[in-house]
Structure formats: structure tokens, C-alpha cells
């Protein structure tokens, strides 16, 4: 899913494969999504991606519980909104145009599963374990899968999975893997 300015405001796009998208009305639970109607839980998760794409971190955080559990390959497991805010802000500082393009969205009980691609251009400093990594100007297109556990209209657990080697290679920070 991604936002694009339009004459009638913001449009949300969902695609079932790269380059082909269907338009959704922003946060309209009755709008079609990949596989059917968007549920309340899917709308909550979608609001996060749209706010993140727009660079509205405060708005993105409104859908998360204060005691959020976050699991990410690069940072492990952390708890609470302050650490998650730092994580989002670090991505947006390094890639102000970072956005998720949702390929598929599923729901299993109280969990929303999103398959997509993270797109962006490395134009700002990226936090690294040994200090900031200077902007490379490179673009990224990294597949990911996210699992968001939603309870009482808040995401209480957010697990994201992506290929760190692909991300670092695309940024020029390590050699491309051999095929």
C-alpha cells in the first residue's frame, strides 16, 4: 500500500504484484483489498503504513499499544513505544521517502499478516553499530513480511522479517550475494 497525492486528497494503493495496484479509499473498511473487504484490524495496520509513508511518525504510533513488543532482525526484541519511535525515526532520517508497498494482506484471528516491499532512497545518515553511515544515494527494494497482533484496536506486537543481506547489499554496505 502506498499513498499518492491526488486531486481528491490521498490515494492508497494495494498491489498483488509489482507495478499493478488497485486504489482504495483511505482507511475505508468497506473498500476492497487483496482477498476481499478490509477488516477493522486491517484498517488499523494500514493506517500505520500510510502514516509512515507520509512521514507522520506521531500518527503512525497512535495505532500501537504503549507496551508494544517489536521484533526486528536488526535490533532483536524490544518493548515500548519510545524504542519503536527511535526505530521509525532512524529509517525516515536515512530514507525520508521510505514506504511500504503491500502485495498481500491476510488476517488470522487477531493477527494481520502483510507481505510487501520496503522502498526508499538512502539520502540521509543511517544509524549503524559503529556510528552513522553516510548517505549513498542508492535506492532499496526489500521484500518483507510483517505480523501485527491487534487487541482492543491497538497493535500490541509487531514482528517484521526481511533479508538483511539484501538490504545491506542494496545500500552498498556489503557485496551482493553470489547466486
Amino acid at each position: 500500500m502506498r499513498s499518492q497525492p491526488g486531486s481528491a486528497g490521498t490515494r492508497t494503493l494495494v498491489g498483488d504484484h509489482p507495478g499493478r495496484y488497485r486504489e482504495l479509499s483511505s482507511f475505508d473498511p468497506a473498500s476492497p483489498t487483496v482477498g476481499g473487504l478490509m477488516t477493522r484490524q486491517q484498517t488499523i495496520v494500514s493506517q500505520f503504513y500510510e502514516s509512515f509513508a507520509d512521514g507522520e511518525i506521531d500518527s503512525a504510533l497512535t495505532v500501537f499499544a504503549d507496551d508494544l513488543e517489536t521484533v526486528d532482525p536488526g535490533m532483536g526484541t524490544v518493548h515500548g513505544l519510545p524504542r519503536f519511535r527511535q526505530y521509525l525515526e532512524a529509517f525516515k532520517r536515512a530514507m525520508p521517502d521510505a514506504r511500504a508497498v503491500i502485495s498481500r494482506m491476510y488476517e488470522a484471528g487477531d493477527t494481520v499478516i502483510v507481505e510487501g516491499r520496503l522502498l526508499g532512497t538512502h539520502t540521509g545518515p543511517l544509524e549503524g553499530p559503529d556510528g552513522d553511515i553516510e548517505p549513498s544515494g542508492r535506492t532499496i527494494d526489500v521484500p518483507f513480511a510483517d505480523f501485527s497482533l491487534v487487541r482492543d484496536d491497538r497493535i500490541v506486537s509487531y514482528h517484521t522479517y526481511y533479508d538483511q543481506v539484501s538490504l545491506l547489499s542494496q545500500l552498498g554496505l556489503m557485496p551482493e550475494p553470489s547466486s
Side-chain angles (χ1 to χ4, degrees):
M1 179 171 349
R2 67 186 267 236
S3 302
Q4 290 189 341
S7 58
T10 300
R11 297 181 306 153
T12 301
L13 304 177
V14 172
D16 56 4
H17 101 28
R20 185 172 55 196
Y21 303 97
R22 287 192 280 159
E23 186 171 336
L24 300 176
S25 299
S26 294
F27 315 124
D28 181 355
S31 293
T33 186
V34 176
L37 295 178
M38 187 177 284
T39 67
R40 177 121 180 100
Q41 291 180 159
Q42 289 171 333
T43 300
I44 290 165
V45 171
S46 295
Q47 183 178 345
F48 159 62
Y49 292 109
E50 188 151 329
S51 294
F52 177 76
D54 291 341
E56 298 172 3
I57 302 300
D58 288 337
S59 178
L61 292 174
T62 64
V63 300
F64 291 93
D66 290 339
D67 59 348
L68 171 71
E69 173 196 64
T70 304
V71 176
D72 175 273
M75 70 177 181
T77 302
V78 297
H79 297 276
L81 280 180
R83 183 61 186 103
F84 188 60
R85 172 186 287 280
Q86 290 172 346
Y87 169 80
L88 295 178
E89 288 174 343
F91 256 107
K92 280 306 220 181
R93 183 176 81 139
M95 292 175 249
D97 65 342
R99 66 202 176 281
V101 175
I102 295 175
S103 303
R104 291 177 180 84
M105 183 180 283
Y106 308 95
E107 191 167 325
D110 53 6
T111 301
V112 176
I113 303 149
V114 173
E115 182 181 3
R117 299 174 5 255
L118 178 66
L119 307 176
T121 309
H122 183 208
T123 59
L126 175 65
E127 285 183 29
D130 298 321
D132 283 345
I133 298 163
E134 291 303 311
S136 66
R138 292 175 177 237
T139 60
I140 63 160
D141 184 340
V142 179
F144 70 86
D146 288 349
F147 295 75
S148 297
L149 178 63
V150 180
R151 293 204 176 120
D152 298 323
D153 291 338
R154 293 285 181 260
I155 299 170
V156 298
S157 179
Y158 174 76
H159 295 204
T160 186
Y161 302 98
Y162 56 90
D163 183 347
Q164 288 182 291
V165 171
S166 176
L167 174 63
L168 295 173
S169 297
Q170 290 180 42
L171 291 173
L173 300 174
M174 66 182 297
E176 292 285 335
S178 56
S179 42

